[in-house]
Amino acid sequence: MLRTEDGSAFTAEQQAAVRDRIAAAEDVEGVEQVVDPFATEADRAEQQAAVDGGRTQLEQGRAQLDDGRAQLDAGQAQLDAARAQLEAGQEQLDAARAQAKAAGALAVVGPDLDAQQAQVDAGLAQLAEQQAQLDAQRTQLGEGVAQLEQQAEQLELGARLLDLAREIRMVSEDGSAALVTVVFTETQFEVADETKEAVVEAFGTEPAEGVVADVSTELVLGVPEIVGPGEVVGLVVAGVVLVVMLGTLATAGLPIVTALVGVAIGALGALAFSGVVEMVSVTPVLGLMLGLAVGIDYSLFIVNRHRRQLVQGYDVDESVGLANGTSGNAVVFAGATVLIALLALNVTGIPFLGLMGTVGAACVAIAVLVAVTLTPALLSLLGLRVLRRGERAHLERHDVAPPVVPAVRPMSTRSAVLRVLAGVAALLVVAAPAASLRLGLPTGLSEPAESSQYQAYATTAEKFGEGRNGTLLVVADLPEAPADDDLLAEQVRIAERIAAQDDVVAVAPVGTSEDGTVAAFQVIPADGPTSESTEELVNGLRALSPLDGDVPIAVAGAASGNIDISDKLANALPAYLAVVVGLSIVILVVVFRSLFVPVIATLGFVLSYFAALGGVVAIYQWGWLGAVFGVDNPGPVLNFLPTILVGILFGLAMDYMLFLGSGMREAYAHGAPARLAVVQGVRAGRAVVTAAAIIMISVFGGFVFAESAMIRPIGFSLAFGVLVDAFVVRMLLVPALMHLAGDRAWWLPRWLDRLLPDVDVEGSALERRHPHVEHPADDAAADGGAAPVPSGAAPARDR
């Protein structure tokens, strides 16, 4: 998009400078053609002038033919009058000859009568010759009329096509803006970034004095920035949370360091992999987002367990191994749930989405491997420095007291009922906007107002109409190749049928195939590519096929392609959600050995999922709080966001359910009453889950203000989804429902209990084999006393 800075029409000097830039762009390898807008407008003006001149010539030709027809009619009248005179003279001559014959004077007057007869015959012969000439002239006139009508018909067809395409301009009406179309030798998704960059450089930001060049999203849509200010802020917030929770800078920095190592491996691997396969530009950033968030959290779980054991008096080496065997085991299982959910994106049948899931799963797998390998190694190196100074001082004085378990009591039933009602009602209200969900891809209008993409989109909409940003391509398959004289009529017939549809601004033929059986048309809709009217237009055009019963038509183009992808994603979402929900129930039944817990955990995930979608719709589609989140022009939600959100949020929700629910399960298995076990489990896991959720929210929230319009809604949906799932579903709804269920929450049919494997996610068996190590000062065990028992142990229920 080229525009003058002062809004005046392009001068001749500016047009010449732009043509030089166009020539330079055409020399770029991979560019087939760069369309000169000024030459195109000049050609269009010449065509219109030719039509207007042709109409004038036709009118003149019609007038000349009318004059010729009048002259022929006058000549015919003269010939008819002369013939009538000769025929009258012939009758008189015949009468005179009859009279002379009757009077016997034929011999006397015969010669004179013969002379008169010769004159009459000569006159008739001359009239016959003149009639032949006149008939020949009339035939020529008829041919001229037929030729003129044929020309008039072709001219009229051409004029109708020009009228249909009148609004397809390359230079705005005021002459202050021009569209430059670049045609590449490869398809849009196969054009190398280097080629696009070379084209952009050929024009520059100021291709001529007083002229500004704005580049569309198609030319600058590459891999977004991996790290920006928002991501740095998110890391800073995560660091603050870790310092508050863990107490030392060294300990707080350990999860961040391990996460960054995993992210570096995953992100660089994704970027390297992009050279082998074609992937959506947001894919590496998604891997970074996931790897960073889960990497910090997974390392935090192990570090927190290790610190707690050290405070209880464990040796460093034994504590590291035990922490990795318990919390590390849980991390592996939690990571596996995220991994499976992301890999399940491949079942949608949408290649780019499956690839996003695969890359994200690889980054999560790397985060898990780093957490269970590098984290224990660093913990061993740090030794007791992972503890606060006061905690180390207590250990040095051998002042190790058994952990004090505060007295707790179950929540009241009334409180549990209120929690359920309030939580579900709040989630349903937040999720309500999700019913209005519309899917699409971001356009230049979604970019920051100061960006070149936004300016190109906005200027095009202002100077040429919204529809120029969402041009459609309609392809018609003709039953047979029409003759040259009939091709124009066929194009007009199809174009007028297309133009008759609602919200069509202009239609123009763009070419036919070599064999003449395929005709293509450019269609300009009334609104932009993400509008509802454009979507209805695409569906309406497809409903016309076959046109008049014999011409199948198809609709293509970037706008219709986005509509098709969005529809396919929307259709695949229910099946994928069903797969994930089914997977969730199976995993949780194995982990918690219960039917009730998996059901409420899965229903909670569904609520948090739709609440996250509701928030996205309200902000990015409706524009609520747009000033806060930088949404200047709301539009459809990123088409693959709902699907990718299922996989990611499911995995994270299962993480929180695992770390809270397993504490409830262990307390119940060690003899605590069911309702008391709920409170004990929440108290045991809420600190680490709260910290982990805040870290996740801060990391994902850092992407809310990313440069790319595709990244921002993904970051928000994940941050908001984690917020809702962790603090409303897992810490509010699930405990309340578990309380209301009581012992029934842990019911499992005996036959199913025998079939299920004992996965021991928290490593309880390992913990029982490594009980709390008493400090050497307490030598009762060394003197032959009974082996120490882990504090807080209680008779375990049969599992």
Side-chain angles (χ1 to χ4, degrees):
M1 160 61 66
L2 304 176
R3 55 185 171 89
T4 57
E5 291 181 341
D6 56 3
S8 61
F10 282 90
T11 63
E13 292 78 10
Q14 289 172 332
Q15 293 184 21
V18 168
R19 289 191 178 95
D20 292 339
R21 297 301 183 106
I22 289 175
E26 283 186 327
D27 292 336
V28 174
E29 185 178 356
V31 173
E32 182 174 329
Q33 180 187 10
V34 181
V35 179
D36 184 344
F38 305 109
T40 301
E41 280 300 308
D43 292 342
R44 196 165 74 97
E46 290 179 3
Q47 291 176 356
Q48 187 63 54
V51 168
D52 295 339
R55 282 174 171 164
T56 302
Q57 292 177 356
L58 283 175
E59 293 300 324
Q60 293 175 352
R62 282 197 178 96
Q64 292 175 356
L65 289 174
D66 290 341
D67 291 342
R69 188 179 291 108
Q71 292 174 4
L72 287 176
D73 292 341
Q76 185 67 53
Q78 293 175 356
L79 285 178
D80 291 342
R83 185 177 290 105
Q85 290 178 358
L86 287 176
E87 289 175 351
Q90 182 67 51
E91 290 177 357
Q92 293 175 0
L93 188 60
D94 291 341
R97 189 179 294 278
Q99 289 176 0
K101 184 176 181 180
L106 185 60
V108 177
V109 299
D112 186 42
L113 293 174
D114 291 339
Q116 293 179 14
Q117 184 63 54
Q119 290 178 354
V120 170
D121 292 340
L124 289 172
Q126 186 177 5
L127 286 175
E129 183 179 350
Q130 291 176 356
Q131 184 65 54
Q133 293 176 354
L134 194 63
D135 290 340
Q137 292 175 0
R138 192 178 299 278
T139 300
Q140 291 178 353
L141 183 64
E143 293 175 352
V145 169
Q147 185 177 6
L148 190 67
E149 293 301 328
Q150 183 180 6
Q151 292 175 354
E153 181 183 1
Q154 294 292 313
L155 186 65
E156 185 60 29
L157 291 172
R160 285 156 66 182
L161 279 183
L162 280 177
D163 289 339
L164 290 172
R166 186 178 299 277
E167 297 301 323
I168 304 180
R169 297 176 173 274
M170 301 301 291
V171 179
S172 62
E173 289 190 33
D174 61 4
S176 65
L179 292 172
V180 179
T181 302
V182 181
V183 181
F184 295 98
T185 56
E186 303 290 341
T187 62
Q188 178 180 349
F189 296 107
E190 294 177 343
V191 179
D193 290 339
E194 294 77 10
T195 302
K196 295 179 181 179
E197 292 171 0
V199 170
V200 174
E201 291 176 0
F203 284 96
T205 56
E206 189 175 347
E209 185 177 355
V211 177
V212 177
D214 296 316
V215 185
S216 67
T217 53
E218 289 80 7
L219 279 178
V220 297
L221 189 59
V223 177
E225 287 188 8
I226 296 294
V227 178
E231 292 79 8
V232 174
V233 171
L235 276 178
V236 171
V237 173
V240 171
V241 173
L242 290 170
V243 170
V244 171
M245 181 179 181
L246 301 177
T248 67
L249 291 176
T251 313
L254 191 149
I256 295 179
V257 169
T258 56
L260 289 176
V261 170
V263 162
I265 297 171
L268 292 176
L271 292 174
F273 194 50
S274 66
V276 180
V277 298
E278 184 179 304
M279 64 175 60
V280 180
S281 58
V282 74
T283 302
V285 183
L286 180 64
L288 166 69
M289 193 184 302
L290 283 175
L292 192 58
V294 301
I296 294 176
D297 278 2
Y298 290 165
S299 181
L300 170 63
F301 294 144
I302 299 174
V303 171
N304 185 64
R305 179 61 178 259
H306 173 59
R307 289 185 70 258
R308 191 168 69 245
Q309 292 173 168
L310 288 179
V311 171
Q312 293 173 359
Y314 281 80
D315 291 335
V316 171
D317 292 340
E318 184 180 19
S319 178
V320 169
L322 186 57
N324 207 33
T326 52
S327 292
N329 187 48
V331 163
V332 172
F333 193 86
T337 61
V338 183
L339 198 74
I340 293 170
L342 289 173
L343 290 176
L345 285 169
N346 289 278
V347 307
T348 62
I350 301 171
F352 84 88
L353 197 59
L355 185 58
M356 289 179 67
T358 302
V359 171
C363 291
V364 171
I366 293 170
V368 171
L369 290 175
V370 170
V372 298
T373 55
L374 183 59
T375 299
L378 293 177
L379 289 175
S380 295
L381 291 175
L382 287 174
L384 293 177
R385 283 175 293 174
V386 298
L387 299 177
R388 294 181 176 90
R389 185 173 300 175
E391 293 170 335
R392 292 200 300 270
H394 279 292
L395 289 178
E396 289 173 358
R397 294 195 304 269
H398 308 302
D399 186 13
V400 180
V404 178
V405 180
V408 295
R409 61 181 179 179
M411 72 179 76
S412 67
T413 301
R414 181 174 177 272
S415 173
V417 171
L418 290 177
R419 287 187 181 191
V420 171
L421 293 178
V424 171
L427 289 176
L428 290 177
V429 170
V430 176
S436 302
L437 176 68
R438 288 184 58 240
L439 301 179
L441 279 176
T443 63
L445 205 60
S446 305
E447 300 295 336
E450 66 277 3
S451 67
S452 179
Q453 304 96 294
Y454 177 88
Q455 293 298 327
Y457 188 100
T459 304
T460 300
E462 177 187 356
K463 298 293 185 179
F464 300 92
E466 283 278 357
R468 285 307 296 271
N469 289 304
T471 302
L472 303 175
L473 180 68
V474 177
V475 179
D477 290 322
L478 307 179
E480 60 182 9
D484 292 340
D485 295 339
D486 298 332
L487 177 60
L488 188 59
E490 189 70 6
Q491 288 178 325
V492 171
R493 178 175 76 93
I494 298 173
E496 288 182 340
R497 286 297 309 277
I498 295 172
Q501 300 301 302
D502 294 337
D503 296 319
V504 172
V505 172
V507 182
V510 294
T512 56
S513 60
E514 292 184 3
D515 60 1
T517 60
V518 178
F521 300 84
Q522 184 184 22
V523 179
I524 307 298
D527 297 315
T530 60
S531 67
E532 293 184 37
S533 65
T534 301
E535 183 176 351
E536 292 172 358
L537 174 60
V538 170
N539 295 330
L541 289 172
R542 287 170 174 168
L544 287 177
S545 183
L547 202 65
D548 296 332
D550 63 343
V551 179
I553 62 173
V555 184
S560 67
N562 292 342
I563 293 171
D564 293 340
I565 293 174
S566 299
D567 289 342
K568 188 172 183 180
L569 286 166
N571 294 333
L573 180 58
Y576 178 61
L577 186 58
V579 169
V580 170
V581 167
L583 179 67
S584 168
I585 292 176
V586 171
I587 292 175
L588 294 179
V589 167
V590 173
V591 172
F592 295 113
R593 311 187 77 80
S594 163
L595 294 181
F596 180 78
V597 175
V599 170
I600 63 171
T602 303
L603 291 178
F605 157 69
V606 173
L607 282 175
S608 58
Y609 169 73
F610 282 104
L613 275 188
V616 171
V617 170
I619 293 173
Y620 292 93
Q621 183 175 317
W622 292 356
W624 292 5
L625 301 176
V628 176
F629 292 95
V631 182
D632 299 322
N633 298 283
V637 174
L638 184 65
N639 52 22
F640 57 82
L641 186 149
T643 309
I644 200 75
L645 179 62
V646 171
I648 298 173
L649 189 58
F650 162 74
L652 301 180
M654 293 308 101
D655 286 355
Y656 301 136
M657 189 65 208
L658 177 67
F659 287 106
L660 283 174
S662 59
M664 301 178 192
R665 174 66 192 177
E666 287 303 314
Y668 179 74
H670 284 89
R675 291 179 172 176
L676 185 61
V678 171
V679 180
Q680 290 178 347
V682 172
R683 291 202 173 191
R686 64 185 177 186
V688 68
V689 169
T690 298
I694 293 175
I695 290 170
M696 284 259 188
I697 293 167
S698 62
V699 172
F700 289 144
F703 291 88
V704 172
F705 303 98
E707 180 183 0
S708 172
M710 297 178 71
I711 299 297
R712 292 196 291 266
I714 296 178
F716 173 82
S717 64
L718 291 174
F720 188 63
V722 168
L723 173 68
V724 170
D725 193 84
F727 295 106
V728 179
V729 174
R730 306 303 155 190
M731 293 191 185
L732 184 71
L733 285 181
V734 169
L737 291 170
M738 294 283 289
H739 172 87
L740 294 176
D743 288 327
R744 293 185 297 274
W746 303 107
W747 178 80
L748 186 70
R750 289 188 178 276
W751 64 268
L752 184 58
D753 185 60
R754 289 193 298 269
L755 292 177
L756 293 179
D758 186 3
V759 294
D760 190 19
V761 174
E762 283 288 342
S764 301
L766 179 64
E767 190 174 10
R768 286 193 294 269
R769 290 195 299 270
H770 292 268
H772 178 60
V773 178
E774 297 292 345
H775 195 274
D778 302 326
D779 55 1
D783 293 338
V789 179
S791 60
R797 285 185 173 87
D798 292 335
R799 299 183 65 180

